[in-house]
Amino acid sequence: MAKIETVSPLAPKGGFPQLPVIDGVRFAALEAGVRYSGRVDVMLAELCDGTTIAGTFTRSSTRSAAVLDCQDKVGGNSKGKAAILVNAGNSNAFTGKGGFDAVASITKATSDALGIDQSRVFTSSTGVIGEPLKWERITAKLDDLKAALDENGISDAARAIMTTDTYPKGSTIEIAADGGTIKIAGIAKGSGMIAPDMATMLVYIFTDAKVSESLLQDMVTRATNETFNCITVDSDTSTSDTLLIAATGKSPAASLQGGTKPCEAFYEGLKSIMLDLAHQVVKDGEGATKFVEVRVTGAASTSDAKRVASAIANSPLVKTAVAGEDPNWGRIVMAVGKSGAQADRDRLTIKFGDITVAENGWVSPDYNEDKGATYMKADDIVISTDLGLGSGEAVMWTCDLTHGYITINADYRS
């Protein structure tokens, strides 16, 4: 499999963060040889008795057997221990009945090994589509995974779920609540086949909060729409996108109740972690060298604003111009026009950062091309478009499109 060997230039400068121990969770990761050799490719998280689990998933009509199995289990019985098992290298998608058999075999073996009800075992698979999953390689390692379980093992788990990622992704926050502190820690993988249609990669978030499944589900659904559903690398939605959040209830803080200040603080903390992870995914976009925020204001409606933001963020012409550090505002005009949203050429205002490039249907009289070109050399770029029609607004995050993306994906299966 072709891979860019150097870490993305947009990776967090401090490297993988120090994530706290979340009471009630233990992790293990090891090499099972599912597809890769010489690297960890399976991770297991064991969750304590009574852990509440919620999630969001891809809306792809060709979603994988693991996604369908998780969707069936989320919202079910929260009694007893639970487990999350993830493999990298093979997505177990478009694999027919064999894919469902593989999920059943893995969940059953995990259930037996850990003494967990099979309905409380959640799995994810990521990697190549359409190849049978060698699930026996995973189940053969369950005893070793069980023996290796460690409350400090989350960083190894983050590395085990990587595919074409150039760095592991983690984020954490602590929240002051009634009676004590609530901790949240999350890990993610993702760098290609990323488009906003619910989670757009694999994400696992762990917290010691006491919270009901219904309230947790409501919060993660809302936060997904403001974070992971606002990113795109290449406009392609994966068959395997999964976000699972597990709340162990081990915090000394009081149970969260909807509509209260502690609950709102928890929601804002959860959303901040999800946004951080979403941005990290974009910054590790295959071949990415620029992180781009697309802001749309003045649209006739929110839905129109989203259409325009998506058209700009997904345009290969816009993304290659950014890669070439070319302030080609004409490509923004093109994207607005093709979006299907209501637009008036003579009301458009386009900015690169704080630089007004075009307004009133023409290049701004104050625009300086040299300043525009200098701005485009930055690692982080903001493209703003005001349609001048209403109050609708939206934001999306994307990256540039470089030769590195082709290098990775032209030889992805080799």
Side-chain angles (χ1 to χ4, degrees):
M1 182 183 295
K3 184 177 181 179
I4 302 298
E5 294 297 336
T6 55
V7 173
S8 168
L10 305 175
K13 302 307 180 187
F16 191 80
Q18 182 67 42
L19 301 184
V21 168
I22 302 296
D23 239 2
V25 189
R26 296 193 298 163
F27 301 90
L30 50 72
E31 179 183 350
V34 175
R35 182 177 184 87
Y36 305 115
S37 60
R39 54 152 286 189
V40 293
D41 59 354
V42 173
M43 84 88 165
L44 174 67
E46 180 193 55
L47 306 160
C48 68
D49 186 12
T51 296
T52 299
I53 296 178
T56 50
F57 305 90
T58 180
R59 291 192 289 262
S60 168
S61 58
T62 55
R63 52 195 180 276
S64 72
V67 169
L68 293 170
D69 184 63
C70 283
Q71 285 181 299
D72 287 342
K73 291 174 177 176
V74 162
N77 179 20
S78 61
K79 293 181 180 179
K81 294 194 299 181
I84 299 171
L85 188 146
V86 187
N87 76 269
N90 185 312
S91 71
N92 192 28
F94 199 62
T95 47
K97 182 179 181 297
F100 293 96
D101 291 343
V103 171
S105 297
I106 293 170
T107 56
K108 178 64 166 63
T110 305
S111 168
D112 292 343
L114 299 181
I116 294 173
D117 191 287
Q118 192 172 353
S119 68
R120 295 273 283 162
V121 178
F122 299 81
T123 67
S124 301
S125 297
T126 181
V128 173
I129 294 170
E131 294 184 4
L133 176 64
K134 296 180 175 67
W135 58 265
E136 301 94 338
R137 297 184 180 182
I138 299 170
T139 57
K141 296 290 186 176
L142 279 170
D143 287 342
D144 293 338
L145 284 165
K146 180 180 179 181
L149 286 167
D150 185 340
E151 63 181 10
N152 294 296
I154 193 169
S155 61
D156 290 335
R159 290 173 175 83
I161 63 177
M162 293 166 54
T163 52
T164 57
D165 307 62
T166 68
Y167 62 88
K169 300 161 185 69
S171 187
T172 186
I173 194 169
E174 291 191 7
I175 300 152
D178 291 343
T181 299
I182 296 174
K183 298 176 183 178
I184 311 176
I187 58 175
K189 67 81 54 182
S191 52
M193 204 180 287
I194 301 296
D197 198 2
M198 177 278 106
T200 48
M201 75 220 130
L202 298 183
V203 185
Y204 306 98
I205 300 173
F206 306 92
T207 177
D208 56 6
K210 296 183 182 76
V211 57
S212 70
E213 184 277 331
S214 59
L215 181 56
L216 187 62
Q217 184 63 60
D218 175 70
M219 287 191 282
V220 77
T221 299
R222 285 193 290 137
T224 294
N225 287 331
E226 298 182 60
T227 58
F228 297 122
N229 277 350
C230 295
I231 64 171
T232 180
V233 167
D234 50 20
S235 81
D236 288 330
T237 299
S238 170
T239 60
S240 306
D241 301 338
T242 296
L243 184 155
L244 291 173
I245 178 167
T248 66
K250 294 292 187 179
S251 168
S255 296
L256 296 174
Q257 305 296 324
T260 64
K261 288 184 178 180
C263 187
E264 185 59 30
F266 177 84
Y267 174 75
E268 291 300 325
L270 174 63
K271 188 172 71 172
S272 72
I273 281 186
M274 291 169 65
L275 187 59
D276 182 17
L277 292 173
H279 284 183
Q280 288 190 54
V281 168
V282 172
K283 291 178 178 181
D284 203 17
E286 291 167 341
T289 65
K290 307 280 188 182
F291 178 71
V292 184
E293 179 171 298
V294 177
R295 300 176 185 168
V296 177
T297 55
S301 65
T302 300
S303 59
D304 267 8
K306 290 179 178 178
R307 288 189 188 97
V308 173
S310 178
I312 296 170
N314 283 319
S315 168
L317 288 178
V318 171
K319 289 158 71 71
T320 50
V322 172
E325 301 180 340
D326 177 11
N328 192 338
W329 57 270
R331 294 185 177 179
I332 309 301
V333 176
M334 172 278 299
V336 173
K338 77 170 186 177
S339 69
Q342 183 180 340
D344 183 336
R345 176 200 61 197
D346 294 334
R347 295 190 181 189
L348 283 180
T349 299
I350 298 170
K351 293 183 177 182
F352 292 144
D354 293 330
I355 302 170
T356 300
V357 180
E359 56 186 347
N360 302 320
W362 191 244
V363 65
S364 172
D366 298 324
Y367 176 61
N368 180 292
E369 181 76 8
D370 290 339
K371 288 184 178 179
T374 298
Y375 177 75
M376 297 301 285
K377 294 182 183 300
D379 290 341
D380 292 1
I381 292 171
V382 177
I383 298 173
S384 302
T385 303
D386 189 276
L387 302 181
L389 298 174
S391 59
E393 57 185 46
V395 63
M396 287 190 69
W397 295 276
T398 189
C399 58
D400 55 345
L401 181 60
T402 70
H403 291 288
Y405 184 87
I406 298 172
T407 299
I408 291 170
N409 286 287
D411 299 316
Y412 182 69
R413 295 196 303 161
S414 57

